[in-house]
Amino acid sequence: MRIYSEAELKNYTEEELKSFKCKYEIPDLDELEKGPWPSFVSDTKQEALRRRKLSDDQMLIGRDVCEDMLGQLQTSFDEGETHWKHGGIVGVFGYGGGVIGRYSDLAEKYPSIAMFHTVRVNQPASKFYSTDFLKTICDMWEYRGSGMMNLHGSTGDLVLLGTTTEQLEPIFYELGHVLDTDIGGSGSNLRTPACCIGKARCEFACYDTQDLCYDLTQYYQDELHRPAFPYKFKFKFDGCPNGCVASIARSDMSFIGTWRDDIRIDQDAVKAYIAGDIVPNAGAHGKRDWGKFDINKEVISLCPTKCMSMEGDQLVIDNSECVRCMHCINTMPRALKPGLDTGITILLGAKAPILDGAQMATLMVPFMKAEAPYDNIKAFVERVWEFWMEEGKNRERLGELMQRVTLPKFIETIGLPPAPQMVKAPRANPYIFWKEEDVKGGWNRDINDYRSRHKR
Amino acid sequence: MALSKERLGRYNPEKPQENRLTDLGPRHFWEFFPPVIKENYGTWAYHDILEPGVLAHVSDSGAKVYTVRCGAARFMTVEHVREICAIADQHCDGYVRFTTRNNIEFLVDSAEKLEALKKDLEGRKFAGGSYKFPIGGTGAGISNIVHTQGYIHCHTPATDASSMVKAVSDELFEYFKGMTLPAKLRVSMACCLNMCGAVHCSDIALLGYHRKPPIVDSEYISKLCEIPLAIAACPVGAISPDKTESGLKSVKIKGERCMFCGNCYTMCQALPLSDKEGDGVTILAGGKISNRISMPKFSKVVVPWLPNSFPRFPEVVENVKKIVEAYAKGANKYERVGDWAERIGWERFFEQCELEFTEHLIDDYRLAYDTWRTSTQFKFTDAAWALSKEAGGIE
């Protein structure tokens, strides 16, 4: 599977690395090699040295691409402005997205980054990898690209940072034929979905986040690769309300695990927490002395609905009043567990500020079962898309459409009844719309009839 | 199938659709799980944080998996990824994962393997001296900073991402390695207010910001842009159609109405706005995503602007540290920054963090009124005395 031999992968010595000097003067970047946090500059220099020592036939784009990137970055620091030209439209046949075109505006000075396109590679759910897979990507990318990447992009993709237009199709072919993997989304389409670690390594997961993420990603491949929407649309999948993949803030459609039965309590473990035999919050505060664990102070009185109490040595939860915020479970994970009748809550409309202000997602479906093949979830997705694709304006996110048409009209259109769970509070102003058919006698009235009772 | 070395690989430009594979999607996650994860999938019973950066998960069967979490720069080269792979091959049966905050996690199934792994990771440094794989980022501390492209790859930034994150992370390193805060503290960074990532909902957020309206490239705008899109891109209606003296279609921008968001440049390359002296950094605080105790919160602007002092952003670092230290001192256990600020009141937050309150922090966009104080409930701080004095209330 590999391109490079072991000798080529060890083609420089520690001494050579220590004495490596970028071909440009980069004093600000050299400064960023200091300090304890992993230095992206030091890393880039390693790769720059490797490329200097590779033979000409072992790379297809500029040998000094890393050094040119560092050089341009230093110029940007000096001048306090970016040096990437606006936009850039490139891609692969058959798809309308997945590649972000980028061109330097200092191409004469830094020719190896004249074209510096990004390829988004759809990551496996929750970002577990085999090293075989990663090493193959590395060889392919060193050969056909800059060797620089992001692990990972904010949406979740494995990002290959910097190649030429000519190499986009070959890279896409290698990804598909050798790595059996696809590129991710960009543009006005379904972007690459992402999920938390879920059942792979978390006792809080209320549904199989990886499986739902993978299933919907595969099912909606067309919507992901060929932009057909008014604007971008993101799915994210959190296994519980802790929100480890931040779906409530960073996805147009947010799937958050929940349960509708009782929190499971192990009373012996509760006693062990109270006795100090188990540290609270799994030891998350372990490097500071917060005193002995006090279940009243740290759990019962912090419960947002005050639905917990101690009756003798028994912890009691009034589950009908619980809002499943996770605090007690987070604090005593060995004593408390989510219920067993689990599913998802669906929220809609999160987005960043542009254009009409930032939005978090609004609760739309309190509870939905989430079991393969997820037909109920797909049906709901399509109810929302059908409306947004028809009614959404150019570059209007779902959250903005919800605001523009208003929540009452939005839920009516997608066929949901109003419920108090959709709001933090009822409206305070009395500017209430009524439909004509809901008002006895309708709106078509005769002024003469009115005047027969009321003189001018 | 082996990787190709032909210049165009398997792609034949004469027949572009031949042998084209599409709509494969990502690889299935199950292929990439270590055995201990496969065997215990969905049966985890509980977890412990053994020390900063080290987790132990125990399944119903009693099986254990140990996770070592390491910081990473997010931007990384194949050289670094190959080193990650070498570590995973040596200690973790060839498996590794990345977190939603771009940390690296190495998983092992025994305590002996854990010790060897930790020792190996801590010993690895870059030639410049920084740690390659610092262990930490768990519990009530500061984990990795979610960030964006900056000057490395983007055309709309008002600052750089990787350098600012490195500068701030160096200064917050003790919090990455420790679990000494009242709760987790999430720092995020975006280089313009498109806010790719998590800036609008983080405990502390760093945001690139412009302060000068765009320059209109009038001779070219009608050739390069769809002018109605540029006009519709403005959240405050500052852009209107115009004509040049030579009769070309263009736009005019009301400077006093523009708040420099840059969205018109996103839509139209003839409206650039980056500027060395104008551009800088805004700091926000008090956002959160989890539903724990309180509902998710937006971050609020607490420092309107700081200069882009490349490469180490000392003013940004100083202000971030002021917030972190005041929070660490003042907040109760389990309180996030936003929970603390709301409990003590934002007037006390500004006092405790020693941050200046300016008119830029008072909302004036559409639903602004909801953020003003319609109550007599407030605390007396120096700011209250200064206000009272100015109004003639006291000597």
Side-chain angles (χ1 to χ4, degrees), chain A residues 12 37 50 58 102 131 135 173-174 179 203 208 298 337, chain B residues 5 10 18 27 41 45 47 77 79 89 153 166 334:
Chain A
Y12 62 80
W37 187 255
R50 148 95 65 259
Q58 289 291 64
R102 198 64 79 212
T131 53
K135 283 187 264 189
Y173 263 68
E174 296 296 284
L179 286 146
E203 67 272 27
D208 197 332
E298 297 188 34
K337 296 188 189 315
Chain B
K5 284 192 69 182
R10 292 167 177 82
E18 192 176 77
R27 288 277 284 274
Y41 193 79
H47 74 283
T77 70
E79 185 69 356
D89 283 341
H153 200 265
K166 163 71 174 152
Y334 305 110

PDB file of all heavy atoms in Angstrom, chain A residues 12 37 50 58 102 131 135 173-174 179 203 208 298 337, chain B residues 5 10 18 27 41 45 47 77 79 89 153 166 334:
ATOM      1  N   TYR A  12      16.250  11.835   7.468  1.00  0.00           N
ATOM      2  CA  TYR A  12      17.039  12.918   8.075  1.00  0.00           C
ATOM      3  C   TYR A  12      17.441  12.533   9.492  1.00  0.00           C
ATOM      4  O   TYR A  12      16.831  11.665  10.113  1.00  0.00           O
ATOM      5  CB  TYR A  12      16.254  14.238   8.062  1.00  0.00           C
ATOM      6  CG  TYR A  12      14.960  14.235   8.853  1.00  0.00           C
ATOM      7  CD1 TYR A  12      14.961  14.393  10.240  1.00  0.00           C
ATOM      8  CD2 TYR A  12      13.727  14.101   8.208  1.00  0.00           C
ATOM      9  CE1 TYR A  12      13.764  14.408  10.957  1.00  0.00           C
ATOM     10  CE2 TYR A  12      12.540  14.113   8.911  1.00  0.00           C
ATOM     11  CZ  TYR A  12      12.564  14.263  10.289  1.00  0.00           C
ATOM     12  OH  TYR A  12      11.397  14.279  11.000  1.00  0.00           O
ATOM     13  N   TRP A  37       3.336  23.801  24.421  1.00  0.00           N
ATOM     14  CA  TRP A  37       2.265  23.255  23.579  1.00  0.00           C
ATOM     15  C   TRP A  37       2.843  22.823  22.217  1.00  0.00           C
ATOM     16  O   TRP A  37       3.723  23.503  21.689  1.00  0.00           O
ATOM     17  CB  TRP A  37       1.161  24.302  23.391  1.00  0.00           C
ATOM     18  CG  TRP A  37      -0.037  23.754  22.689  1.00  0.00           C
ATOM     19  CD1 TRP A  37      -0.408  23.966  21.393  1.00  0.00           C
ATOM     20  CD2 TRP A  37      -1.000  22.849  23.241  1.00  0.00           C
ATOM     21  NE1 TRP A  37      -1.552  23.249  21.110  1.00  0.00           N
ATOM     22  CE2 TRP A  37      -1.933  22.555  22.219  1.00  0.00           C
ATOM     23  CE3 TRP A  37      -1.162  22.252  24.489  1.00  0.00           C
ATOM     24  CZ2 TRP A  37      -3.016  21.699  22.407  1.00  0.00           C
ATOM     25  CZ3 TRP A  37      -2.244  21.402  24.689  1.00  0.00           C
ATOM     26  CH2 TRP A  37      -3.153  21.130  23.660  1.00  0.00           C
ATOM     27  N   ARG A  50      12.022  16.671   5.425  1.00  0.00           N
ATOM     28  CA  ARG A  50      11.774  15.407   4.720  1.00  0.00           C
ATOM     29  C   ARG A  50      11.659  15.639   3.220  1.00  0.00           C
ATOM     30  O   ARG A  50      12.260  14.948   2.414  1.00  0.00           O
ATOM     31  CB  ARG A  50      10.482  14.776   5.244  1.00  0.00           C
ATOM     32  CG  ARG A  50       9.674  13.981   4.254  1.00  0.00           C
ATOM     33  CD  ARG A  50       9.933  12.486   4.265  1.00  0.00           C
ATOM     34  NE  ARG A  50       9.525  11.902   5.512  1.00  0.00           N
ATOM     35  CZ  ARG A  50      10.344  11.581   6.485  1.00  0.00           C
ATOM     36  NH1 ARG A  50      11.626  11.740   6.333  1.00  0.00           N
ATOM     37  NH2 ARG A  50       9.893  11.078   7.593  1.00  0.00           N
ATOM     38  N   GLN A  58       9.619  11.427  -6.100  1.00  0.00           N
ATOM     39  CA  GLN A  58       8.795  10.990  -4.973  1.00  0.00           C
ATOM     40  C   GLN A  58       7.803  12.063  -4.512  1.00  0.00           C
ATOM     41  O   GLN A  58       7.315  12.032  -3.389  1.00  0.00           O
ATOM     42  CB  GLN A  58       9.683  10.564  -3.794  1.00  0.00           C
ATOM     43  CG  GLN A  58      10.428   9.259  -4.044  1.00  0.00           C
ATOM     44  CD  GLN A  58       9.506   8.061  -4.094  1.00  0.00           C
ATOM     45  OE1 GLN A  58       8.656   7.950  -4.962  1.00  0.00           O
ATOM     46  NE2 GLN A  58       9.657   7.144  -3.154  1.00  0.00           N
ATOM     47  N   ARG A 102      -8.172  27.228  -3.381  1.00  0.00           N
ATOM     48  CA  ARG A 102      -7.473  28.352  -2.753  1.00  0.00           C
ATOM     49  C   ARG A 102      -6.241  28.706  -3.586  1.00  0.00           C
ATOM     50  O   ARG A 102      -5.530  27.809  -4.040  1.00  0.00           O
ATOM     51  CB  ARG A 102      -7.049  27.968  -1.322  1.00  0.00           C
ATOM     52  CG  ARG A 102      -6.711  29.140  -0.442  1.00  0.00           C
ATOM     53  CD  ARG A 102      -7.904  30.044  -0.187  1.00  0.00           C
ATOM     54  NE  ARG A 102      -8.802  29.535   0.829  1.00  0.00           N
ATOM     55  CZ  ARG A 102     -10.125  29.751   0.815  1.00  0.00           C
ATOM     56  NH1 ARG A 102     -10.675  30.444  -0.152  1.00  0.00           N
ATOM     57  NH2 ARG A 102     -10.896  29.263   1.767  1.00  0.00           N
ATOM     58  N   THR A 131      -3.956   2.319  11.941  1.00  0.00           N
ATOM     59  CA  THR A 131      -2.758   3.009  11.453  1.00  0.00           C
ATOM     60  C   THR A 131      -2.509   2.679   9.981  1.00  0.00           C
ATOM     61  O   THR A 131      -1.953   3.506   9.258  1.00  0.00           O
ATOM     62  CB  THR A 131      -1.530   2.641  12.309  1.00  0.00           C
ATOM     63  OG1 THR A 131      -1.423   1.219  12.371  1.00  0.00           O
ATOM     64  CG2 THR A 131      -1.662   3.197  13.704  1.00  0.00           C
ATOM     65  N   LYS A 135      -1.622   5.652   7.535  1.00  0.00           N
ATOM     66  CA  LYS A 135      -0.317   5.653   6.857  1.00  0.00           C
ATOM     67  C   LYS A 135      -0.500   5.706   5.343  1.00  0.00           C
ATOM     68  O   LYS A 135       0.286   6.339   4.634  1.00  0.00           O
ATOM     69  CB  LYS A 135       0.488   4.412   7.267  1.00  0.00           C
ATOM     70  CG  LYS A 135       1.102   4.557   8.667  1.00  0.00           C
ATOM     71  CD  LYS A 135       2.030   3.407   9.002  1.00  0.00           C
ATOM     72  CE  LYS A 135       1.316   2.352   9.807  1.00  0.00           C
ATOM     73  NZ  LYS A 135       2.206   1.308  10.348  1.00  0.00           N
ATOM     74  N   TYR A 173      -9.485   9.495  -6.954  1.00  0.00           N
ATOM     75  CA  TYR A 173      -9.405   8.097  -7.397  1.00  0.00           C
ATOM     76  C   TYR A 173      -8.691   7.226  -6.370  1.00  0.00           C
ATOM     77  O   TYR A 173      -9.121   6.118  -6.075  1.00  0.00           O
ATOM     78  CB  TYR A 173      -8.699   8.005  -8.760  1.00  0.00           C
ATOM     79  CG  TYR A 173      -9.670   7.927  -9.923  1.00  0.00           C
ATOM     80  CD1 TYR A 173     -10.471   9.032 -10.242  1.00  0.00           C
ATOM     81  CD2 TYR A 173      -9.809   6.776 -10.683  1.00  0.00           C
ATOM     82  CE1 TYR A 173     -11.366   8.975 -11.294  1.00  0.00           C
ATOM     83  CE2 TYR A 173     -10.698   6.712 -11.739  1.00  0.00           C
ATOM     84  CZ  TYR A 173     -11.485   7.815 -12.040  1.00  0.00           C
ATOM     85  OH  TYR A 173     -12.371   7.748 -13.076  1.00  0.00           O
ATOM     86  N   GLU A 174      -7.590   7.730  -5.831  1.00  0.00           N
ATOM     87  CA  GLU A 174      -6.851   6.945  -4.833  1.00  0.00           C
ATOM     88  C   GLU A 174      -7.713   6.735  -3.579  1.00  0.00           C
ATOM     89  O   GLU A 174      -7.725   5.656  -2.997  1.00  0.00           O
ATOM     90  CB  GLU A 174      -5.543   7.653  -4.444  1.00  0.00           C
ATOM     91  CG  GLU A 174      -4.550   7.792  -5.571  1.00  0.00           C
ATOM     92  CD  GLU A 174      -4.043   6.452  -6.088  1.00  0.00           C
ATOM     93  OE1 GLU A 174      -3.215   5.829  -5.425  1.00  0.00           O
ATOM     94  OE2 GLU A 174      -4.495   6.034  -7.183  1.00  0.00           O
ATOM     95  N   LEU A 179      -8.392   3.407  -0.764  1.00  0.00           N
ATOM     96  CA  LEU A 179      -8.774   3.570   0.646  1.00  0.00           C
ATOM     97  C   LEU A 179     -10.260   3.299   0.870  1.00  0.00           C
ATOM     98  O   LEU A 179     -10.715   3.328   2.010  1.00  0.00           O
ATOM     99  CB  LEU A 179      -8.404   4.971   1.124  1.00  0.00           C
ATOM    100  CG  LEU A 179      -6.901   5.137   1.349  1.00  0.00           C
ATOM    101  CD1 LEU A 179      -6.449   6.541   0.998  1.00  0.00           C
ATOM    102  CD2 LEU A 179      -6.532   4.803   2.787  1.00  0.00           C
ATOM    103  N   GLU A 203     -20.560   5.196  29.005  1.00  0.00           N
ATOM    104  CA  GLU A 203     -21.696   4.546  29.652  1.00  0.00           C
ATOM    105  C   GLU A 203     -22.954   5.414  29.630  1.00  0.00           C
ATOM    106  O   GLU A 203     -24.014   4.971  30.036  1.00  0.00           O
ATOM    107  CB  GLU A 203     -21.342   4.165  31.098  1.00  0.00           C
ATOM    108  CG  GLU A 203     -21.103   5.333  32.054  1.00  0.00           C
ATOM    109  CD  GLU A 203     -19.665   5.841  32.078  1.00  0.00           C
ATOM    110  OE1 GLU A 203     -18.948   5.691  31.068  1.00  0.00           O
ATOM    111  OE2 GLU A 203     -19.258   6.393  33.127  1.00  0.00           O
ATOM    112  N   ASP A 208     -27.165   4.509  19.574  1.00  0.00           N
ATOM    113  CA  ASP A 208     -25.927   4.176  18.876  1.00  0.00           C
ATOM    114  C   ASP A 208     -25.564   5.324  17.934  1.00  0.00           C
ATOM    115  O   ASP A 208     -25.957   5.339  16.766  1.00  0.00           O
ATOM    116  CB  ASP A 208     -26.145   2.860  18.107  1.00  0.00           C
ATOM    117  CG  ASP A 208     -24.836   2.238  17.697  1.00  0.00           C
ATOM    118  OD1 ASP A 208     -23.857   2.987  17.503  1.00  0.00           O
ATOM    119  OD2 ASP A 208     -24.797   1.005  17.557  1.00  0.00           O
ATOM    120  N   GLU A 298     -23.501  19.062  46.540  1.00  0.00           N
ATOM    121  CA  GLU A 298     -22.953  18.882  45.189  1.00  0.00           C
ATOM    122  C   GLU A 298     -23.942  18.265  44.203  1.00  0.00           C
ATOM    123  O   GLU A 298     -23.734  18.345  43.009  1.00  0.00           O
ATOM    124  CB  GLU A 298     -21.686  18.012  45.250  1.00  0.00           C
ATOM    125  CG  GLU A 298     -20.576  18.666  46.051  1.00  0.00           C
ATOM    126  CD  GLU A 298     -19.252  17.930  45.959  1.00  0.00           C
ATOM    127  OE1 GLU A 298     -18.949  17.358  44.896  1.00  0.00           O
ATOM    128  OE2 GLU A 298     -18.524  17.915  46.975  1.00  0.00           O
ATOM    129  N   LYS A 337     -27.447   5.899  36.501  1.00  0.00           N
ATOM    130  CA  LYS A 337     -27.348   5.671  35.061  1.00  0.00           C
ATOM    131  C   LYS A 337     -28.630   6.129  34.375  1.00  0.00           C
ATOM    132  O   LYS A 337     -29.703   6.086  34.966  1.00  0.00           O
ATOM    133  CB  LYS A 337     -27.124   4.181  34.784  1.00  0.00           C
ATOM    134  CG  LYS A 337     -25.805   3.665  35.331  1.00  0.00           C
ATOM    135  CD  LYS A 337     -25.511   2.262  34.901  1.00  0.00           C
ATOM    136  CE  LYS A 337     -24.310   1.695  35.641  1.00  0.00           C
ATOM    137  NZ  LYS A 337     -23.153   2.623  35.726  1.00  0.00           N
TER     138      LYS A 337
ATOM    139  N   LYS B   5       1.508   5.503  -8.606  1.00  0.00           N
ATOM    140  CA  LYS B   5       2.541   6.542  -8.726  1.00  0.00           C
ATOM    141  C   LYS B   5       2.525   7.241 -10.082  1.00  0.00           C
ATOM    142  O   LYS B   5       3.377   8.086 -10.354  1.00  0.00           O
ATOM    143  CB  LYS B   5       3.929   5.956  -8.443  1.00  0.00           C
ATOM    144  CG  LYS B   5       4.182   5.729  -6.949  1.00  0.00           C
ATOM    145  CD  LYS B   5       5.627   5.432  -6.641  1.00  0.00           C
ATOM    146  CE  LYS B   5       6.519   6.643  -6.867  1.00  0.00           C
ATOM    147  NZ  LYS B   5       7.941   6.336  -6.622  1.00  0.00           N
ATOM    148  N   ARG B  10      -4.988   6.598 -11.489  1.00  0.00           N
ATOM    149  CA  ARG B  10      -5.958   5.781 -12.224  1.00  0.00           C
ATOM    150  C   ARG B  10      -6.918   6.641 -13.038  1.00  0.00           C
ATOM    151  O   ARG B  10      -7.807   6.122 -13.692  1.00  0.00           O
ATOM    152  CB  ARG B  10      -6.750   4.925 -11.228  1.00  0.00           C
ATOM    153  CG  ARG B  10      -5.896   3.879 -10.579  1.00  0.00           C
ATOM    154  CD  ARG B  10      -6.550   3.240  -9.381  1.00  0.00           C
ATOM    155  NE  ARG B  10      -5.672   2.194  -8.854  1.00  0.00           N
ATOM    156  CZ  ARG B  10      -4.641   2.428  -8.048  1.00  0.00           C
ATOM    157  NH1 ARG B  10      -4.367   3.638  -7.641  1.00  0.00           N
ATOM    158  NH2 ARG B  10      -3.879   1.429  -7.637  1.00  0.00           N
ATOM    159  N   GLU B  18     -14.915   7.056 -16.589  1.00  0.00           N
ATOM    160  CA  GLU B  18     -14.571   5.636 -16.583  1.00  0.00           C
ATOM    161  C   GLU B  18     -14.002   5.225 -15.228  1.00  0.00           C
ATOM    162  O   GLU B  18     -13.119   5.907 -14.690  1.00  0.00           O
ATOM    163  CB  GLU B  18     -13.521   5.380 -17.676  1.00  0.00           C
ATOM    164  CG  GLU B  18     -13.291   3.930 -17.977  1.00  0.00           C
ATOM    165  CD  GLU B  18     -12.314   3.788 -19.141  1.00  0.00           C
ATOM    166  OE1 GLU B  18     -11.096   3.969 -18.932  1.00  0.00           O
ATOM    167  OE2 GLU B  18     -12.774   3.535 -20.266  1.00  0.00           O
ATOM    168  N   ARG B  27     -15.573   5.120   5.576  1.00  0.00           N
ATOM    169  CA  ARG B  27     -15.420   3.716   5.984  1.00  0.00           C
ATOM    170  C   ARG B  27     -16.297   3.460   7.209  1.00  0.00           C
ATOM    171  O   ARG B  27     -16.566   4.358   8.004  1.00  0.00           O
ATOM    172  CB  ARG B  27     -13.950   3.439   6.323  1.00  0.00           C
ATOM    173  CG  ARG B  27     -13.082   3.411   5.069  1.00  0.00           C
ATOM    174  CD  ARG B  27     -13.105   2.058   4.367  1.00  0.00           C
ATOM    175  NE  ARG B  27     -12.294   1.086   5.051  1.00  0.00           N
ATOM    176  CZ  ARG B  27     -10.976   0.940   4.857  1.00  0.00           C
ATOM    177  NH1 ARG B  27     -10.334   1.701   3.985  1.00  0.00           N
ATOM    178  NH2 ARG B  27     -10.304   0.019   5.524  1.00  0.00           N
ATOM    179  N   TYR B  41     -18.586  -2.952  23.283  1.00  0.00           N
ATOM    180  CA  TYR B  41     -19.413  -1.892  22.698  1.00  0.00           C
ATOM    181  C   TYR B  41     -20.797  -1.870  23.357  1.00  0.00           C
ATOM    182  O   TYR B  41     -21.490  -2.883  23.423  1.00  0.00           O
ATOM    183  CB  TYR B  41     -19.559  -2.163  21.206  1.00  0.00           C
ATOM    184  CG  TYR B  41     -20.117  -1.023  20.398  1.00  0.00           C
ATOM    185  CD1 TYR B  41     -19.306   0.041  20.027  1.00  0.00           C
ATOM    186  CD2 TYR B  41     -21.440  -1.014  19.978  1.00  0.00           C
ATOM    187  CE1 TYR B  41     -19.803   1.091  19.255  1.00  0.00           C
ATOM    188  CE2 TYR B  41     -21.942   0.033  19.207  1.00  0.00           C
ATOM    189  CZ  TYR B  41     -21.119   1.075  18.856  1.00  0.00           C
ATOM    190  OH  TYR B  41     -21.607   2.100  18.094  1.00  0.00           O
ATOM    191  N   ALA B  45     -19.859   0.230  31.964  1.00  0.00           N
ATOM    192  CA  ALA B  45     -20.538   0.379  33.246  1.00  0.00           C
ATOM    193  C   ALA B  45     -20.213   1.721  33.910  1.00  0.00           C
ATOM    194  O   ALA B  45     -21.097   2.395  34.425  1.00  0.00           O
ATOM    195  CB  ALA B  45     -20.142  -0.753  34.187  1.00  0.00           C
ATOM    196  N   HIS B  47     -16.737   4.954  34.420  1.00  0.00           N
ATOM    197  CA  HIS B  47     -15.374   5.379  34.079  1.00  0.00           C
ATOM    198  C   HIS B  47     -14.752   6.130  35.244  1.00  0.00           C
ATOM    199  O   HIS B  47     -15.459   6.626  36.129  1.00  0.00           O
ATOM    200  CB  HIS B  47     -15.377   6.257  32.827  1.00  0.00           C
ATOM    201  CG  HIS B  47     -15.910   7.648  33.063  1.00  0.00           C
ATOM    202  ND1 HIS B  47     -17.255   7.922  33.185  1.00  0.00           N
ATOM    203  CD2 HIS B  47     -15.272   8.842  33.203  1.00  0.00           C
ATOM    204  CE1 HIS B  47     -17.424   9.220  33.396  1.00  0.00           C
ATOM    205  NE2 HIS B  47     -16.246   9.791  33.414  1.00  0.00           N
ATOM    206  N   THR B  77       1.380  17.608  10.046  1.00  0.00           N
ATOM    207  CA  THR B  77       1.891  17.095   8.778  1.00  0.00           C
ATOM    208  C   THR B  77       1.864  15.576   8.794  1.00  0.00           C
ATOM    209  O   THR B  77       1.701  14.944   9.843  1.00  0.00           O
ATOM    210  CB  THR B  77       3.341  17.549   8.532  1.00  0.00           C
ATOM    211  OG1 THR B  77       4.186  16.865   9.464  1.00  0.00           O
ATOM    212  CG2 THR B  77       3.485  19.055   8.701  1.00  0.00           C
ATOM    213  N   GLU B  79       4.296  13.808   8.564  1.00  0.00           N
ATOM    214  CA  GLU B  79       5.417  13.387   9.411  1.00  0.00           C
ATOM    215  C   GLU B  79       4.928  13.118  10.841  1.00  0.00           C
ATOM    216  O   GLU B  79       5.284  12.106  11.449  1.00  0.00           O
ATOM    217  CB  GLU B  79       6.468  14.515   9.395  1.00  0.00           C
ATOM    218  CG  GLU B  79       7.745  14.212  10.104  1.00  0.00           C
ATOM    219  CD  GLU B  79       8.569  13.166   9.384  1.00  0.00           C
ATOM    220  OE1 GLU B  79       8.104  12.623   8.366  1.00  0.00           O
ATOM    221  OE2 GLU B  79       9.668  12.876   9.866  1.00  0.00           O
ATOM    222  N   ASP B  89       1.106   1.717  16.744  1.00  0.00           N
ATOM    223  CA  ASP B  89       1.557   0.359  16.370  1.00  0.00           C
ATOM    224  C   ASP B  89       2.299  -0.298  17.529  1.00  0.00           C
ATOM    225  O   ASP B  89       2.129  -1.477  17.807  1.00  0.00           O
ATOM    226  CB  ASP B  89       2.485   0.421  15.144  1.00  0.00           C
ATOM    227  CG  ASP B  89       1.711   0.620  13.855  1.00  0.00           C
ATOM    228  OD1 ASP B  89       0.489   0.352  13.851  1.00  0.00           O
ATOM    229  OD2 ASP B  89       2.313   1.051  12.860  1.00  0.00           O
ATOM    230  N   HIS B 153      -4.845  29.265   5.551  1.00  0.00           N
ATOM    231  CA  HIS B 153      -5.617  28.793   4.400  1.00  0.00           C
ATOM    232  C   HIS B 153      -6.850  29.611   4.040  1.00  0.00           C
ATOM    233  O   HIS B 153      -7.479  29.336   3.028  1.00  0.00           O
ATOM    234  CB  HIS B 153      -6.036  27.335   4.612  1.00  0.00           C
ATOM    235  CG  HIS B 153      -6.402  26.638   3.337  1.00  0.00           C
ATOM    236  ND1 HIS B 153      -7.695  26.528   2.880  1.00  0.00           N
ATOM    237  CD2 HIS B 153      -5.637  26.050   2.400  1.00  0.00           C
ATOM    238  CE1 HIS B 153      -7.700  25.879   1.728  1.00  0.00           C
ATOM    239  NE2 HIS B 153      -6.467  25.585   1.411  1.00  0.00           N
ATOM    240  N   LYS B 166      -1.517  28.623  19.677  1.00  0.00           N
ATOM    241  CA  LYS B 166      -0.243  28.189  20.268  1.00  0.00           C
ATOM    242  C   LYS B 166       0.139  29.127  21.420  1.00  0.00           C
ATOM    243  O   LYS B 166       0.520  28.681  22.504  1.00  0.00           O
ATOM    244  CB  LYS B 166       0.826  28.171  19.174  1.00  0.00           C
ATOM    245  CG  LYS B 166       2.272  28.137  19.637  1.00  0.00           C
ATOM    246  CD  LYS B 166       2.687  26.812  20.250  1.00  0.00           C
ATOM    247  CE  LYS B 166       4.207  26.817  20.547  1.00  0.00           C
ATOM    248  NZ  LYS B 166       4.548  25.924  21.671  1.00  0.00           N
ATOM    249  N   TYR B 334     -18.415  22.917  40.107  1.00  0.00           N
ATOM    250  CA  TYR B 334     -19.348  22.565  39.010  1.00  0.00           C
ATOM    251  C   TYR B 334     -19.857  23.772  38.237  1.00  0.00           C
ATOM    252  O   TYR B 334     -20.569  23.608  37.242  1.00  0.00           O
ATOM    253  CB  TYR B 334     -20.555  21.738  39.500  1.00  0.00           C
ATOM    254  CG  TYR B 334     -20.184  20.486  40.244  1.00  0.00           C
ATOM    255  CD1 TYR B 334     -20.408  20.377  41.618  1.00  0.00           C
ATOM    256  CD2 TYR B 334     -19.588  19.409  39.599  1.00  0.00           C
ATOM    257  CE1 TYR B 334     -20.058  19.236  42.322  1.00  0.00           C
ATOM    258  CE2 TYR B 334     -19.229  18.258  40.292  1.00  0.00           C
ATOM    259  CZ  TYR B 334     -19.461  18.178  41.657  1.00  0.00           C
ATOM    260  OH  TYR B 334     -19.107  17.049  42.349  1.00  0.00           O
TER     261      TYR B 334
END
